[in-house]
Structures are given as C-alpha cells and as structure tokens.
Amino acid sequence: MTAVSIAGVTKVFNEGRPDEVTALSDVDLTVESGQFVSLIGPSGCGKSTLLRLIADLIAPTLGDVRVAGKPADQARRDQEYGIAFQQAGLFEWRTVRRNVELPLELRKIPRQQRRTRAEEMLALVGLGDFGGHYPAQLSGGMQQRVAIARALAVHPNLLLMDEPFGALDEMTRERLQAELLQICSKMHTSTVFVTHSISEAVFLSDKVVVMSARPGRITTTIDIELGERNEAVRQSTAYFDHVTAVRKALRS
Ligand code: ADP
Ligand code: MG
C-alpha cells in the first residue's frame, strides 16, 4: 500500500503574471505505508508547497497527487491525515484541551472519548497539566506541542509536518523526535516531514529527500538504514556517515 504517490508534479504560482514563480518542477515522490520521509533543502525550494499539495490545500499545475491511493481532494474529504505546520495555528478562544479535541469533534467522536484522547496526547507531548490553559498563556514551544498533539489525536494514517520542531529548544526537540517515532511505529503512521535540520532528518527518516531551489526539484533521495532509533544511534558512526551524505547532497 502506498501512502503518498506524486507523479510529474509542477506547481507554478501566479501563472502568466510578471511575478510568476515555478515553485516545483516535475517532482516524483513515493511514500510507502509506514515510511517516514523527510524533505530537506534551501529556503524557497518548495518544501512547504509540496506538503500543501499533498494536503490538497493547493492544486498542482501539472501532474498527479494521490494519498492512500485516492486523488488528493478525495483523501482530504475522507480526512486521511493529520497536519502540524510551523505556525501552531491554535484557536485562541479554545482551551488547550479543546484545541486538541477539535479534529475529534469534526469526526463526531463522543465527548468522553474525545476528552480521554486529548488528555493522552497532551501527556505525550509533556503538557498534561495545561489542558485547561488558553494558548496565549503558553510559550511558543508549548503551543507547537499542542499543535502536534492535535495532529496526532485522530491517530492519522498519514502525518504531514512542516518544520514542527523549529521553534523548540534542543532538549525538547530530541525528546519529541524520539516520541514521534514511537507513536508513528506503534500506529503504523506514514509521515512526510519538512525540516531544515540535517541531523533531525537523518535521525527520524527511512528516506531523506534532498531538494534544490529555483525551480524546486528533487535532486537526491537517500535511504537511511540505522535500525531501531535510540540515543546511542545519535553517537554512531553510521549516523554521522548519513549526516555527511545528506550534507554533500545539499551542497552539490
Ligand atoms: P520552502 O518551504 O522550501 O521554503 P515554499 O514552498 O514556501 O518553500 O516556496 C517555494 C517558492 O514558491 C518560493 O519562491 C515562494 O516564494 C513561492 N510561493 C510559495 N507560496 C506561494 C504563493 N501562495 N504565491 C506565490 N508564490 C508562492
Ligand atoms: Mg516552508
């Protein structure tokens, strides 16, 4: 089963206008079920655009996007995925708990079950005591963790994340990386993850997709074979070799 399948996708913004931009050119990408795939590349190379195409927030100019074997718009209607973007995007008038419950409300999950699931997810991201707070009472990093809890709350088959850990301190970031992997493997979630961090991409991924700017293209795909991820992996030679390989691919 294929989680995401992108074939010959080109995205042109402002087509035919003086400010026309080709954000992506002829992109092919396959994410197998249960795979963790990172997108990495210079700012403006089209990483967010690619993620937004998968989420059907925008449509391709050319080419085909499929999620769980369905056209992207059908997959969106069927709510096949959870999304966590760089901006936490929380509703200020809802408590933290009710922000996490929102996607469950949309799926008509009964109240008690919603509540239990939201508490579970908040505990997972280390915010078990903050369910009754409002977003404005939390730091930026804490708000981001709420957004991650919300994305995970529905136990989605596919998780789309756009630099979700960018604003976090290194310690929190490493802890959430390990937790994210545990959740994804436990729930057999497929993930497409955008990051600026080479080490983060290598630690998390089965496959790192390296992109180049103007127009955005996939230049290299690197398979990461590090076995089970734990803290020892971060110190291993194989890990550093993969980091070097990704860095070289980014430079060439
Ligand atoms: P990245 O996430 O890799 O930094 P983006 O996908 O955000 O890059 O952007 C890729 C290119 O497309 C950039 O040149 C950006 O300015 C352009 N772009 C993105 N979104 C839009 C939009 N809605 N309208 C016009 N240009 C856009
Ligand atoms: Mg971006």
Side-chain angles (χ1 to χ4, degrees), residues 68-89:
K70 307 171 190 176
D73 57 336
Q74 183 65 44
R76 177 173 50 75
R77 283 194 295 273
D78 294 348
Q79 303 178 326
E80 292 282 354
Y81 40 76
I83 306 181
F85 285 169
Q86 197 170 13
Q87 300 298 323

Side-chain angles (χ1 to χ4, degrees), residues 151-193:
L152 291 169
V154 294
H155 294 175
N157 291 325
L158 175 65
L159 199 52
L160 304 175
M161 304 182 98
D162 195 346
E163 300 185 39
F165 302 154
L168 303 180
D169 64 86
E170 197 70 16
M171 298 295 286
T172 307
R173 191 170 176 145
E174 290 192 356
R175 194 169 55 75
L176 284 181
Q177 287 169 0
E179 281 169 0
L180 177 63
L181 284 183
Q182 272 177 19
I183 295 162
C184 290
S185 90
K186 201 164 69 188
M187 301 182 188
H188 205 67
T189 309
S190 319
T191 309
V192 184
F193 189 95

Side-chain angles (χ1 to χ4, degrees), residues 11-14 17 19-24 40-52 58 86 162-163 194 196 211 214 216:
K11 178 64 188 179
V12 181
F13 287 108
N14 308 327
R17 291 190 359 205
D19 55 353
E20 178 176 298
V21 186
T22 302
L24 291 172
I40 194 163
S43 183
C45 73
K47 303 180 294 295
S48 297
T49 300
L50 191 49
L51 216 59
R52 291 169 67 213
I58 52 175
Q86 197 170 13
D162 195 346
E163 300 185 39
V194 172
H196 270 125
M211 298 175 65
R214 254 165 286 276

Side-chain angles (χ1 to χ4, degrees), residues 19-238:
D19 55 353
E20 178 176 298
V21 186
T22 302
L24 291 172
S25 175
D26 200 20
V27 168
D28 298 312
L29 175 68
T30 303
V31 180
E32 300 299 342
S33 176
Q35 237 185 0
F36 198 115
V37 173
S38 288
L39 308 178
I40 194 163
S43 183
C45 73
K47 303 180 294 295
S48 297
T49 300
L50 191 49
L51 216 59
R52 291 169 67 213
L53 283 162
I54 298 169
D56 191 47
L57 296 170
I58 52 175
T61 307
L62 285 174
D64 188 44
V65 179
R66 287 184 169 261
V67 175
K70 307 171 190 176
D73 57 336
Q74 183 65 44
R76 177 173 50 75
R77 283 194 295 273
D78 294 348
Q79 303 178 326
E80 292 282 354
Y81 40 76
I83 306 181
F85 285 169
Q86 197 170 13
Q87 300 298 323
L90 303 176
F91 293 104
E92 295 294 331
W93 64 90
R94 283 183 164 240
T95 61
V96 162
R97 184 186 300 109
R98 294 206 57 236
N99 266 283
V100 177
E101 280 184 35
L102 184 60
L104 302 169
E105 283 177 36
L106 296 175
R107 281 164 212 220
K108 316 261 187 274
I109 308 279
R111 187 193 162 90
Q112 193 51 49
Q113 218 175 316
R114 274 190 339 236
R115 178 98 188 211
T116 308
R117 180 76 66 80
E119 295 292 355
E120 256 171 51
M121 293 299 136
L122 284 169
L124 197 61
V125 298
L127 292 175
D129 295 334
F130 292 88
H133 286 59
Y134 285 89
Q137 298 173 293
L138 269 50
S139 72
M142 290 162 87
Q143 291 183 20
Q144 195 59 36
R145 281 144 74 193
V146 177
I148 293 165
R150 181 179 58 188
L152 291 169
V154 294
H155 294 175
N157 291 325
L158 175 65
L159 199 52
L160 304 175
M161 304 182 98
D162 195 346
E163 300 185 39
F165 302 154
L168 303 180
D169 64 86
E170 197 70 16
M171 298 295 286
T172 307
R173 191 170 176 145
E174 290 192 356
R175 194 169 55 75
L176 284 181
Q177 287 169 0
E179 281 169 0
L180 177 63
L181 284 183
Q182 272 177 19
I183 295 162
C184 290
S185 90
K186 201 164 69 188
M187 301 182 188
H188 205 67
T189 309
S190 319
T191 309
V192 184
F193 189 95
V194 172
T195 179
H196 270 125
S197 163
I198 299 173
S199 57
E200 177 166 88
V202 169
F203 184 75
L204 291 173
S205 308
D206 299 308
K207 184 161 101 175
V208 175
V209 171
V210 179
M211 298 175 65
S212 72
R214 254 165 286 276
R217 287 176 193 279
I218 293 176
T219 55
T220 318
T221 299
I222 298 176
D223 290 319
I224 310 289
E225 273 145 27
L226 291 173
E228 195 199 328
R229 304 303 202 268
N230 51 40
E231 288 314 301
V233 164
R234 294 188 199 272
Q235 314 293 330
S236 69
T237 312

